Amino acid sequence: TSNKRTLRTLFRPATLPPPVISETSPSQKKLLAYHRGKEQQDVLNQLLIDRALEVYYITMDETDKRDAVPPIKELPSTVRLYFFIILNYLFMKKCVQRNPMIPIQPQWLRSMLALVPQSLMEGRDRALLTEELLREVVSDYEKSMQRCVLRRVWVKPDIKELDKLEEEAPLPLLPLGLDFSSTWRNSYIKAKQQIISTLHILHPTMKALLDFGYTAFFNFLLVDFSSSRLKGPVDCKSIKTDASLSCSKAEEEIMSTWYQKVVGLFSQSEALDGVKLDQLESFYNCVAVLMSNQLKGLLQRTTEVFVKLFDPEDRSRLPLFKMDLTYDENKMEFYPSLQDLEEAILFVVECIGQTLQNVQTMRAWLTGGTATLDAELPAHIAEWAKATLKKSIEDNLEGPKEHFKGYVESYGWLVDGTAEERINRFIAEKPSFDEYT
């Protein structure tokens, strides 16, 4: 405690005397010149000074527990030199950090946004989320560039106490699976050769297949009920009929356009250029997988668009269904029933999943076989669509259910025999004329 009070008195920043150093080496001369040049400024970074002294006191306390207390007369020059090294580093670091830096280019941000699917850019508060993410990207870029410049320009002294003074947040981590610590050219060439010899994805025929699929399916849907609301209410039978006819016409159109182009491509001998005899099977398997993925993508996109019509946050395109409140056999009910309505809506998903299920593979078409492409709607997509539609139907039918419940509570007694029983009981009591009235 006595030593600390003595140190606080001797090394108060406002009255800090110039260091007394007997050596006249170049580094010490620079320190002395720096000290004299800054004496007439205000106390530089008072907070950093206090923290540096605090680190020193903690270090001295730990030293006291292990070794004998050094004589006070040996401390001043050591402390001042130690202190000015730290202060000089921190001051010069801030000077480097304030240097101008090339900002991130706007076209880079636009290129990043162009890679985001359009479906993720739509919806409530998506613009605010995008703006927030872009600010985070810009912030990470500036921090990384600033630290990179600092580490290249300014060398950090080998003083462990500086780690306690510098509180820097960690840099953003690289995406999982990317490792740039070693060269990649050899592994890239090896992977490319394996792709060429095994998957055939770089073959010109595959590129033509991709072009055919993109042109045919880019804006194509098997069923489209986006304008159904504008046509007014429809009944359950009509929506089933419309879905069946639409899927049937769409399949005919695909087979007469896209499939015929593919057949015409493989009717030419150039389609197999460069493919060896022992690679034919793997080549046609690759063709089958590519065609299957294109058809599955069409079915999945059509299903997602149909389910999106029932989005609870956007009811502008929600289809309208005609339902009657009927009375039959002393019973009030909706026609069609709520179960029939749900079945009609789910029928559209089933109809989509049953389309394009008998498309021949190219090898089967060329050899007269019966093998067909795997164009089945993925099971997880079908389950998601049905679960989402059921939840949406239940939410949207809360109003009709309350309406029906109000009718039953208000007028049900008139038709379920309760009113007739009360009348007969009243007549049996033989009331007077005034009571009848």
Side-chain angles (χ1 to χ4, degrees):
T1 305
S2 175
N3 290 342
K4 291 181 180 180
R5 283 200 299 268
T6 304
L7 287 173
R8 291 192 182 95
T9 303
L10 291 175
F11 307 118
R12 196 182 306 273
T15 59
L16 193 63
V20 179
I21 302 176
S22 58
E23 292 291 337
T24 57
S25 63
S27 61
Q28 291 173 344
K29 287 182 179 180
K30 290 181 181 178
L31 287 175
L32 291 173
Y34 168 77
H35 175 70
R36 294 191 188 95
K38 297 301 180 181
E39 278 182 345
Q40 298 183 7
Q41 295 182 0
D42 294 332
V43 178
L44 181 62
N45 293 332
Q46 187 64 40
L47 180 59
L48 293 175
I49 295 173
D50 293 338
R51 293 183 66 184
L53 289 175
E54 181 181 354
V55 171
Y56 173 75
Y57 295 145
I58 294 174
T59 304
M60 291 299 299
D61 288 341
E62 293 176 353
T63 305
D64 290 342
K65 296 177 181 179
R66 298 191 304 268
D67 305 321
V69 178
I72 297 178
K73 61 181 181 181
E74 298 179 2
L75 293 177
S77 60
T78 305
V79 173
R80 285 195 294 270
L81 180 60
Y82 172 81
F83 166 72
F84 281 116
I85 291 175
I86 295 178
L87 187 60
N88 180 59
Y89 167 75
L90 295 176
F91 174 76
M92 295 303 295
K93 175 184 175 182
K94 287 188 175 296
C95 293
V96 175
Q97 288 177 334
R98 283 195 291 266
N99 284 342
M101 182 180 58
I102 300 177
I104 191 170
Q105 301 300 308
Q107 57 266 30
W108 297 356
L109 299 177
R110 289 194 293 268
S111 299
M112 294 177 191
L113 291 178
L115 298 175
V116 180
Q118 188 61 31
S119 59
L120 299 180
M121 302 289 288
E122 300 174 353
R124 184 180 301 177
D125 299 334
R126 295 297 170 85
L128 296 177
L129 178 60
T130 303
E131 183 179 351
E132 181 180 350
L133 291 174
L134 289 180
R135 283 200 301 268
E136 185 177 341
V137 170
V138 173
S139 176
D140 290 344
Y141 170 82
E142 292 177 349
K143 289 180 182 178
S144 300
M145 292 298 293
Q146 188 181 71
R147 296 185 187 185
C148 179
V149 171
L150 182 65
R151 291 173 182 176
R152 290 176 65 89
V153 173
W154 193 243
V155 179
K156 181 178 179 180
D158 188 14
I159 301 176
K160 64 179 181 179
E161 282 74 12
L162 276 175
D163 297 334
K164 301 178 182 179
L165 293 175
E166 294 183 296
E167 298 178 355
E168 290 185 345
L171 290 172
L173 298 177
L174 290 174
L176 186 64
L178 297 182
D179 182 11
F180 302 102
S181 59
S182 59
T183 57
W184 52 267
R185 178 173 176 79
N186 293 336
S187 60
Y188 167 76
I189 294 177
K190 182 179 179 181
K192 182 178 178 179
Q193 291 175 348
Q194 186 176 4
I195 289 174
I196 294 175
S197 62
T198 307
L199 297 180
H200 310 285
I201 198 64
L202 300 180
H203 195 278
T205 300
M206 301 301 173
K207 182 180 181 300
L209 276 179
L210 287 172
D211 292 340
F212 291 162
Y214 182 81
T215 303
F217 304 141
F218 177 65
N219 285 325
F220 189 81
L221 296 174
L222 297 178
V223 293
D224 186 7
F225 289 101
S226 57
S227 59
S228 174
R229 190 178 184 88
L230 301 177
K231 299 178 182 178
V234 297
D235 53 39
C236 296
K237 185 177 181 180
S238 296
I239 192 173
K240 285 185 174 182
T241 303
D242 291 345
S244 299
L245 291 177
S246 180
C247 288
S248 178
K249 291 180 180 179
E251 183 170 356
E252 292 178 1
E253 181 177 352
I254 290 173
M255 296 302 293
S256 62
T257 55
W258 170 76
Y259 192 73
Q260 288 302 318
K261 288 183 178 180
V262 177
V263 169
L265 176 64
F266 281 91
S267 299
Q268 303 172 7
S269 58
E270 294 83 358
L272 300 178
D273 283 350
V275 181
K276 299 179 182 179
L277 187 61
D278 59 346
Q279 296 178 336
L280 279 178
E281 183 176 358
S282 62
F283 180 79
Y284 280 114
N285 287 339
C286 184
V287 172
V289 171
L290 180 55
M291 295 175 66
S292 296
N293 289 341
Q294 290 177 334
L295 295 180
K296 286 182 179 180
L298 175 62
L299 299 183
Q300 179 175 339
R301 190 172 66 256
T302 303
T303 302
E304 291 173 350
V305 170
F306 178 71
V307 174
K308 194 174 182 180
L309 297 178
F310 296 82
D311 186 357
E313 297 184 0
D314 182 13
R315 301 193 176 190
S316 59
R317 294 183 295 175
L318 187 66
L320 298 176
F321 295 94
K322 184 192 302 180
M323 302 185 70
D324 298 326
L325 186 61
T326 62
Y327 168 67
D328 188 21
E329 297 180 357
N330 295 336
K331 186 178 181 181
M332 297 178 64
E333 59 184 358
F334 277 119
Y335 180 80
S337 66
L338 303 181
Q339 291 77 12
D340 292 339
L341 177 62
E342 179 180 308
E343 179 186 353
I345 296 175
L346 297 180
F347 173 81
V348 178
V349 177
E350 296 177 358
C351 190
I352 294 172
Q354 294 172 1
T355 309
L356 298 169
Q357 298 304 302
N358 296 312
V359 181
Q360 273 187 309
T361 64
M362 278 298 98
R363 191 177 183 90
W365 184 87
L366 292 171
T367 59
T370 58
T372 57
L373 295 173
D374 175 19
E376 185 178 0
L377 181 68
H380 69 280
I381 297 296
E383 294 174 0
W384 163 80
K386 292 180 180 179
T388 304
L389 288 175
K390 287 181 179 179
K391 179 63 168 59
S392 179
I393 293 170
E394 182 180 353
D395 294 341
N396 284 286
L397 287 180
E398 288 297 328
K401 287 180 180 178
E402 291 295 327
H403 184 71
F404 176 74
K405 184 178 178 181
Y407 260 104
V408 173
E409 292 178 351
S410 300
Y411 308 109
W413 65 279
L414 293 174
V415 297
D416 63 3
T418 302
E420 184 177 359
E421 182 182 352
R422 288 173 58 185
I423 291 173
N424 293 334
R425 186 170 62 251
F426 178 75
I427 296 175
E429 295 174 354
K430 296 181 180 180
S432 64
F433 178 79
D434 292 337
E435 290 173 334
Y436 269 120
T437 306

